[in-house]
Amino acid sequence: MRRLLLVNALIFAVLAAVVAFAYFGWANSSAVALRDEQFKLLNELAVEKILNIESNVEEADNRILKVVRLDQLDKLDEQVKSTGAAVASVFVLDADLRPVLNGSKDLTSRAQVEAVETRDWYLAHELRRAALEKLDLEKPTRRYGRGPDGKPYLLTFERKQLDGQNYYVVVEDDLNHLINFMIPQFFLGSRFLYQVADENNVVKQGWPFQYEKEALAVQIAFSGMLEGWHLRIAEPDDTAAKKVRDRRIIDSLLLGGAVAIILLGLGLLAIAIRRERRSNELKSDFISNVSHELKTPLAIISMFGEMLANNKTKSPEQATEYAEIIWRESVRLGRLIDNVLDFAKIERGMGVYEFAESDIVEVVERAIDLATRRLQTANMALEAHIGEDIPLVQLDANAFTLAVLNLVDNAIKYAGDGKKIELSLRRDGERVVLAIKDFGPGIPLEEQARIFERFYRAKEMRLKPIRGSGIGLALVQHIARAHGGDITVESTPGNGATFQLWLPI
Ligand code: ADP
């Protein structure tokens, strides 16, 4: 019955795991496709925004470079203003890289001195005559860098000519305006989160999210101007990103669950196989033990029966003795058959017990009576201590008698050398406890739990010529548990064994 349940559970577990795996595969592939789609979308968006931002800057620079007329530098102010471009400053240099008179225009709010200092710094550090001379005519070039105070700058410059002479127009882009006003405008009303990070990964503008921790985020480098800078775009956490995260959690739970189920299934399978093998071994032992046990008394009965039938007795006393032997062996045979039949009934899960309020003292005394002859033959004494205050209990008298007889029989069989058996029946709180103590070889600790298994016989006993079937204690345990109680054993090898069978009151 239990094995059937186990096998069913196993089949179910494996099926469930297979279904889970199939679902996982399917769900994962669609989730991956969805995720890829979302990443692609973000990527495209970032590339497009960068393109827009860069062409915007480029356009403004080109407009300025176009309007600056070398022959009308006195109108530089108006010319620059007319473009409406947001730049920090414009300055014109001659062929020797000297600022041209009236050729400098600062559009920031910084002091004049500071503007001049900044320009001179660019002249000293960024602009090289040899490099500038090689520039194509009227083709803007960009240079990004960090000033003396670590501030980023972006210069756009081109070579122009007037009367065969080289001039250079340099535009200092207004990065402050670009980062703090222009870029935010590109994301006005967008549902996405964005960030602009510089070459040191410092976030200069945007939302305060942590790029690395976002489930759905991309970063694209600015290509043509701010070298090393990135634009990052993330899906806000409450939308698709959350779905991706949830999906990821569900996926890992599902995968973990499926793996656990399969491992569990394999584990159970291994246990079931081991149990099956052991039970098969035990069963074949059982069959040979039982046949042996049946054959021996039968052989004795038939031998002495034949002697009696052929009048081969020397005296009437001998005839009585033979008859007693026949009787004893047939009782034993009967007990064995009872055991086997009851055990078979229990194994098939049939309701074999009939409970009634009974006097347990009477039942135990009757069992002792039934065992008297076997005790005498084995030359053993049974000391019984029956308590005074033992109440009536719910009991199947026949089954309980069988249990007591099995325990006493075992003590006779295995502990004959001890010569003595102590049986006690006492009340212990809400329990009635029957203890049967012998003084035989005892039971090794590692076998104490196993002797209650069906068909199990202790190793040492298997080597001795003591007959047994291995179902006695399994039956006693079943009877005890059916009564709501249990059986335990205590034994120190060499010092006998005590079996305690308790029932609830
Ligand atoms: P059987 O007696 O037919 O072998 P049981 O189920 O009654 O089967 O007992 C199982 C095993 O427990 C026995 O084979 C024996 O090894 C061990 N055993 C039972 N009772 C005793 C005892 N009183 N002393 C030592 N060993 C015992």
Side-chain angles (χ1 to χ4, degrees):
M1 190 76 172
R2 231 194 283 148
R3 186 155 319 145
L4 198 71
L5 266 175
L6 189 75
V7 169
N8 279 343
L10 206 70
I11 292 171
F12 179 76
V14 171
L15 277 181
V18 167
V19 169
F21 258 121
Y23 174 71
F24 175 76
W26 170 79
N28 194 45
S29 67
S30 56
V32 165
L34 182 76
R35 209 146 53 205
D36 283 355
E37 192 61 34
Q38 282 160 337
F39 271 113
K40 219 174 100 190
L41 196 93
L42 286 187
N43 244 311
E44 280 169 4
L45 185 74
V47 169
E48 184 196 308
K49 292 285 180 199
I50 284 185
L51 219 69
N52 285 344
I53 294 167
E54 289 187 338
S55 61
N56 219 285
V57 173
E58 214 170 298
E59 235 170 65
D61 292 340
N62 288 349
R63 274 205 309 273
I64 291 185
L65 290 171
K66 196 166 266 166
V67 298
V68 173
R69 299 274 304 269
L70 297 175
D71 52 349
Q72 293 176 359
L73 282 183
D74 50 330
K75 291 189 189 140
L76 183 67
D77 206 357
E78 285 160 46
Q79 286 163 347
V80 171
K81 272 189 187 150
S82 74
T83 63
V87 296
S89 67
V90 182
F91 49 92
V92 182
L93 307 171
D94 66 14
D96 298 322
L97 264 54
R98 278 182 311 236
V100 173
L101 186 71
N102 286 334
S104 293
K105 173 75 193 140
D106 191 75
L107 292 124
T108 62
S109 53
R110 63 190 159 191
Q112 182 73 25
V113 202
E114 201 187 323
V116 171
E117 267 173 14
T118 311
R119 186 193 64 194
D120 290 347
W121 190 89
Y122 294 142
L123 280 170
H125 293 88
E126 189 61 86
L127 304 164
R128 296 266 169 273
R129 184 174 172 165
L132 290 180
E133 272 173 355
K134 283 193 205 120
L135 291 178
D136 288 341
L137 256 189
E138 314 225 339
K139 265 230 152 142
T141 303
R142 287 216 156 68
R143 182 86 84 243
Y144 167 78
R146 292 266 173 178
D149 45 4
K151 253 208 215 136
Y153 61 82
L154 179 66
L155 300 180
T156 307
F157 42 85
E158 73 177 19
R159 183 164 72 92
K160 288 191 180 232
Q161 269 191 335
L162 181 69
D163 304 331
Q165 284 290 320
N166 274 340
Y167 289 88
Y168 306 101
V169 181
V170 184
V171 177
E172 183 193 4
D173 287 287
D174 189 348
L175 288 187
N176 197 31
H177 176 84
L178 172 71
I179 295 162
N180 297 320
F181 297 98
M182 205 168 104
I183 292 179
Q185 283 199 351
F186 281 97
F187 289 92
L188 220 64
S190 164
R191 75 183 174 89
F192 296 103
L193 307 177
Y194 77 95
Q195 251 179 21
V196 175
D198 69 9
E199 69 269 49
N200 303 319
N201 271 331
V202 177
V203 175
K204 293 299 206 183
Q205 178 58 252
W207 295 87
F209 63 84
Q210 275 183 289
Y211 170 72
E212 292 78 11
K213 292 196 179 151
E214 289 300 318
L216 252 181
V218 297
Q219 72 169 8
I220 300 283
F222 283 89
S223 51
M225 35 183 255
L226 301 167
E227 267 165 55
W229 285 46
H230 284 94
L231 177 68
R232 298 162 172 177
I233 299 187
E235 180 89 46
D237 206 24
D238 55 336
T239 54
K242 191 157 181 289
K243 266 189 225 148
V244 168
R245 187 163 311 173
D246 289 351
R247 180 81 265 157
R248 221 175 272 172
I249 293 171
I250 292 171
D251 282 359
S252 20
L253 283 181
L254 214 71
L255 189 66
V259 168
I261 287 172
I262 285 186
L263 287 183
L264 194 84
L266 286 179
L268 287 179
L269 196 69
I271 291 174
I273 289 172
R274 240 186 60 196
R275 275 216 191 141
E276 193 61 31
R277 194 185 309 146
R278 204 170 70 195
S279 128
N280 279 343
E281 278 168 18
L282 290 173
K283 252 185 220 161
S284 64
D285 278 359
F286 167 73
I287 289 168
S288 74
N289 283 336
V290 168
S291 352
H292 187 71
E293 275 216 74
L294 287 173
K295 256 164 73 185
T296 319
L298 262 182
I300 295 173
I301 289 170
S302 97
M303 183 175 87
F304 286 100
E306 191 189 336
M307 281 183 179
L308 282 178
N310 295 338
N311 257 333
K312 281 194 185 153
T313 46
K314 288 185 189 119
S315 60
E317 288 78 36
Q318 202 175 32
T320 317
E321 195 193 321
Y322 287 0
E324 258 177 24
I325 292 174
I326 291 175
W327 179 47
R328 201 175 65 217
E329 288 300 316
S330 60
V331 167
R332 212 167 109 185
L333 205 56
R335 177 124 10 104
L336 176 72
I337 290 169
D338 274 353
N339 257 1
V340 173
L341 290 183
D342 279 5
F343 185 76
K345 272 200 248 170
I346 288 167
E347 281 284 281
R348 268 183 276 133
M350 288 161 63
V352 281
Y353 299 105
E354 280 167 25
F355 295 100
E357 191 127 294
S358 328
D359 183 356
I360 189 169
V361 176
E362 217 173 78
V363 175
V364 170
E365 278 171 347
R366 208 178 64 222
I368 296 174
D369 243 17
L370 285 170
T372 314
R373 206 160 257 284
R374 284 212 67 197
L375 285 162
Q376 277 171 2
T377 320
N379 204 11
M380 288 182 85
L382 187 142
E383 249 175 51
H385 307 277
I386 310 274
E388 305 271 279
D389 52 346
I390 301 191
L392 297 181
V393 287
Q394 284 292 323
L395 204 66
D396 177 326
N398 284 334
F400 199 74
T401 310
L402 191 68
V404 178
L405 283 179
N406 263 302
L407 291 175
V408 174
D409 266 3
N410 276 352
I412 296 171
K413 255 187 349 191
Y414 300 111
D417 318 343
K419 296 290 165 218
K420 198 169 73 166
I421 299 171
E422 283 177 13
L423 181 152
S424 76
L425 185 70
R426 62 192 162 83
R427 180 180 180 152
D428 181 9
E430 284 308 295
R431 293 174 170 188
V432 176
V433 183
L434 172 80
I436 292 176
K437 181 176 176 159
D438 65 53
F439 299 86
I443 302 155
L445 198 66
E446 65 276 13
E447 303 214 79
Q448 286 178 14
R450 299 206 57 193
I451 54 173
F452 296 103
E453 287 174 21
R454 49 214 236 295
F455 313 135
Y456 188 82
R457 307 196 67 218
K459 275 192 202 98
E460 223 175 293
M461 298 307 166
R462 275 180 265 158
L463 301 175
K464 288 188 184 173
I466 299 177
R467 287 180 283 155
S469 57
I471 57 174
L473 287 179
L475 200 63
V476 176
Q477 189 186 52
H478 197 279
I479 292 169
R481 290 186 176 169
H483 283 77
D486 209 348
I487 177 154
T488 55
V489 64
E490 255 171 54
S491 170
T492 352
N495 276 327
T498 306
F499 286 88
Q500 292 212 31
L501 196 171
W502 65 266
L503 304 181
I505 293 173

